[in-house]
Amino acid sequence: QKEVEQNSGPLSVPEGAIASLNCTYSDRGSQSFFWYRQYSGKSPELIMSIYSNGDKEDGRFTAQLNKASQYVSLLIRDSQPSDSATYLCAVRYSSASKIIFGSGTRLSIRP
Amino acid sequence: KAGVTQTPRYLIKTRGQQVTLSCSPISGHRSVSWYQQTPGQGLQFLFEYFSETQRNKGNFPGRFSGRQFSNSRSEMNVSTLELGDSALYLCASSLAVGREAFFGQGTRLTVV
């Protein structure tokens, strides 16, 4: 079982709709969770970090964490063509451990 | 505030050679991590340094090594290059181990 799993996509969402990206992780003791966006040919860019159960909102982005079910999700409201990218979920198991990345979900926003 | 700076941006090397990549973290950041990214394997963790000490290491052969200097700048070295080492090498810095990591632009290494 992979440590951090994401659906590779592509996930196609119409412009203006809500895009929902999901991620599951294997270690129940995980403490820190991150979402990165990566455009083709560019390096990953941090979008959100979340550390406790519940929702965290930042502009059009909402991260949701459910430690009991071991999943973290990212919602993008009012999706724009510029949101088309690969979204990487990352998990750190403890404050001293390495960050593990999922393989990413390719998101495509169609006009 | 300047971001993470990696040099060089592009590199072409021959099999068997060695290469050194450099990373300057965001000012004030003391933790530096290195990743290898390939289309087939995604982002693979290489190692993480904090205060000149290696804190974590990924599952890479001993040909991959790194170090961190007192000013938090970091270098990684790959010896005896193989064709499969062709990849984008990314450096990320954070205030401390466990905090949000910010990536540099990467070094694209091609081994021929």
Side-chain angles (χ1 to χ4, degrees):
Chain A
Q1 182 190 6
K2 287 186 181 177
E3 295 171 287
V4 180
E5 293 212 50
Q6 296 181 255
N7 188 318
S8 62
L11 174 65
S12 181
V13 172
E15 184 175 354
I18 295 176
S20 177
L21 304 161
N22 299 310
C23 170
T24 58
Y25 57 94
S26 60
D27 193 314
R28 192 170 285 276
S30 299
Q31 297 182 4
S32 306
F33 308 85
F34 311 95
W35 282 101
Y36 287 82
R37 176 176 63 196
Q38 187 173 25
Y39 293 112
S40 180
K42 301 293 185 182
S43 61
E45 172 192 9
L46 179 68
I47 300 175
M48 299 275 289
S49 58
I50 186 166
Y51 302 96
S52 54
N53 277 331
D55 295 0
K56 180 181 178 182
E57 188 175 316
D58 184 0
R60 295 187 297 112
F61 299 96
T62 299
Q64 299 175 319
L65 175 61
N66 184 323
K67 289 188 177 181
S69 301
Q70 293 174 242
Y71 83 78
V72 57
S73 61
L74 179 70
L75 301 178
I76 306 175
R77 290 182 300 281
D78 189 23
S79 295
Q80 302 297 311
S82 59
D83 295 326
S84 297
T86 296
Y87 288 80
L88 300 165
C89 172
V91 176
R92 191 185 286 268
Y93 294 141
S94 72
S95 61
S97 69
K98 60 190 179 186
I99 294 179
I100 304 295
F101 281 81
S103 56
T105 297
R106 199 153 42 94
L107 174 66
S108 175
I109 307 300
R110 57 181 190 271
Chain B
K1 187 185 263 190
V4 179
T5 304
Q6 290 187 246
T7 57
R9 290 291 309 279
Y10 302 93
L11 210 47
I12 299 176
K13 289 287 189 179
T14 304
R15 269 185 306 174
Q17 287 186 313
Q18 75 165 22
V19 67
T20 299
L21 311 182
S22 180
C23 172
S24 293
I26 293 171
S27 178
H29 284 196
R30 296 172 62 192
S31 176
V32 173
S33 301
W34 288 90
Y35 293 84
Q36 181 195 66
Q37 189 173 37
T38 58
Q41 297 297 317
L43 262 173
Q44 300 290 309
F45 174 80
L46 281 157
F47 24 68
E48 181 171 27
Y49 288 87
F50 180 78
S51 293
E52 302 178 66
T53 301
Q54 188 179 89
R55 297 302 174 116
N56 292 291
K57 189 177 190 305
N59 298 320
F60 278 82
R63 300 185 297 107
F64 292 81
S65 63
R67 59 178 176 168
Q68 186 181 34
F69 302 96
S70 58
N71 61 359
S72 295
R73 191 176 69 84
S74 178
E75 289 181 346
M76 68 162 282
N77 184 277
V78 187
S79 62
T80 320
L81 284 165
E82 301 177 358
L83 294 179
D85 296 334
S86 295
L88 179 66
Y89 289 87
L90 291 159
C91 166
S93 79
S94 54
L95 277 170
V97 176
R99 301 289 299 273
E100 294 93 339
F102 298 88
F103 283 87
Q105 294 302 303
T107 295
R108 173 76 61 184
L109 172 65
T110 302
V111 182
V112 297

